[in-house]
Amino acid sequence: MIRYVAFGIVIDDLVFEDGRQVLGVLGGGGPQAAFGMRLWGEGVGLVAAVGADWPDAHRAQLEAAGIDLSGVVTGPWPTLRAWQIYGNAGERRHVWRVAPGRDRPDWARCLALAPMDYRAARGYHLGLHAEAADLGLVRQLRAYGGYVSLELFRPAPHPLDAGALRALACAPDILSLTLEEAQSLYASKAPLSSEKAGLWADLVRRLHQAGARIVALRLGPEGALVSDGRAGRAWHIPAFPTTVVDPTGAGNAFSGAFLVGYLETNNLLTAGLWGSVAASLIVEKIGFPQLDEGLRLEARRRVQALRPHVRTVQI
């Protein structure tokens, strides 16, 4: 039985700030979100379109983690592929090598071809571009009765007008954004507060005012601020201290784990802790981690270690 679904597969070619290259890595956000889901939950499926060139090793990694691939459609098109190029300040550029084209089915079509239980899942996580947001799939997933978590592929190239911002904020149940992405939605880039936590809180409050139900503001090495807007407060969840080998997919893993955490426990704080721990585990190596009972034991240990360091922030 499929309970949680993630979307998208890309073959990543990584270029690190020191010039090192690692080619042919399983990526695209979907596998990383599915990792976060599977770390804490059962019945995880993946929806995507791949070509015959998709490596057997990638399929084996996902199947070994217990991730269902019945929603992955294989056809006569090449698998999406992209450079992920990191700069000295940790910034990343995404450069398509094989870009999306009209010949391959979109996610809605792939979902329609998947087994029926994919359309009866409890929760979904996907990404889109803010400036060209086709929210039809999000609305479709919610019409199926699923709980939808949404992230952006990158910051918006220009601010959204009030109508577009409201449509984006209201569409999902969970809006998961980086600090840069959240700031990019607004015309004013000036700090709303001179104090860092105040800036985070102001952004979360404005997203709630635009209609967002639950906000996860991802802050990289400073953790995340999570809020449902109901109590006038948010939880600041710190990042688990670890050595970062490859930051690719940390936000996806956080978002997948956060969705499962919220639906499994109905507790925003626990969901944030599960998300932070999932992100910490995925950055410790290049590519997809081996998901076994030892890793799950370590995940539970990290949750307990982080919990005393959570702080409440007024919004």
Side-chain angles (χ1 to χ4, degrees), residues 230-309:
R230 289 183 293 186
R233 67 180 182 182
W235 299 105
H236 177 229
I237 314 292
F240 186 85
T242 189
T243 300
V244 177
V245 175
D246 174 16
T248 313
N252 311 120
F254 177 98
S255 299
F258 184 83
L259 171 65
V260 172
Y262 188 73
L263 290 179
E264 293 290 333
T265 71
N266 196 34
N267 186 294
L268 199 66
L269 170 55
T270 298
L273 289 167
W274 286 13
S276 182
V277 167
S280 76
L281 291 169
I282 210 162
V283 303
E284 291 178 340
K285 69 182 294 291
I286 293 174
F288 196 86
Q290 181 178 344
L291 228 174
D292 54 24
E293 190 53 34
L295 195 71
R296 290 190 173 91
L297 286 171
E298 174 61 14
R300 291 193 285 272
R301 184 193 73 79
R302 293 186 183 193
V303 166
Q304 295 310 312
L306 275 183
R307 194 177 291 273
H309 302 285

Side-chain angles (χ1 to χ4, degrees), residues 147-167:
Y147 206 87
V148 180
S149 167
L150 182 66
E151 65 174 302
L152 299 182
F153 291 134
R154 55 172 169 74
H158 52 75
L160 301 188
D161 63 38
L165 177 61
R166 184 160 188 82

Side-chain angles (χ1 to χ4, degrees), residues 10-253:
V10 175
I11 300 173
D12 280 339
D13 295 320
L14 308 176
V15 181
F16 295 100
E17 62 274 12
D18 60 2
R20 288 180 303 122
Q21 296 186 13
V22 182
L23 306 182
V25 178
L26 174 62
Q32 288 73 23
F35 166 81
M37 294 172 172
R38 189 67 184 90
L39 181 65
W40 302 107
E42 302 286 340
V44 176
L46 191 57
V47 168
V50 300
D53 61 336
W54 190 45
D56 291 339
H58 289 187
R59 182 181 295 274
Q61 284 178 299
L62 293 166
E63 289 176 339
I67 295 168
D68 186 88
L69 302 180
S70 302
V72 176
V73 177
T74 303
W77 44 75
T79 305
L80 298 177
R81 189 163 190 150
W83 292 107
Q84 306 295 342
I85 305 169
Y86 286 93
N88 292 329
E91 71 278 9
R92 182 179 64 168
R93 281 196 301 130
H94 173 103
V95 180
W96 285 116
R97 299 186 70 178
V98 177
R102 295 181 180 179
D103 57 333
R104 81 181 62 237
D106 61 14
W107 289 343
R109 179 60 178 156
C110 293
L111 183 63
L113 295 171
M116 281 294 297
D117 56 350
Y118 272 71
R119 298 185 290 283
R122 193 176 182 195
Y124 301 89
H125 178 73
L126 69 158
L128 50 71
H129 293 293
E131 72 280 7
D134 179 359
L135 299 170
L137 179 56
V138 176
R139 298 189 186 102
Q140 180 182 337
L141 296 174
R142 295 193 71 204
Y144 288 150
Y147 206 87
V148 180
S149 167
L150 182 66
E151 65 174 302
L152 299 182
F153 291 134
R154 55 172 169 74
H158 52 75
L160 301 188
D161 63 38
L165 177 61
R166 184 160 188 82
L168 177 67
C170 290
D173 298 282
I174 297 172
L175 188 61
S176 178
L177 304 176
T178 67
L179 179 63
E180 185 182 6
E181 289 162 357
Q183 289 178 301
S184 76
L185 301 177
Y186 295 94
S188 173
K189 299 298 188 291
L192 303 176
S193 168
S194 59
E195 190 262 329
K196 186 162 53 178
L199 167 61
W200 304 340
D202 284 335
L203 281 167
V204 169
R205 182 171 58 251
R206 290 176 70 173
L207 289 167
H208 283 309
Q209 290 170 346
R213 298 168 184 82
I214 294 175
V215 175
L217 184 66
R218 308 194 314 270
L219 306 168
E222 296 187 272
L225 201 65
V226 300
S227 169
D228 62 12
R230 289 183 293 186
R233 67 180 182 182
W235 299 105
H236 177 229
I237 314 292
F240 186 85
T242 189
T243 300
V244 177
V245 175
D246 174 16
T248 313
N252 311 120

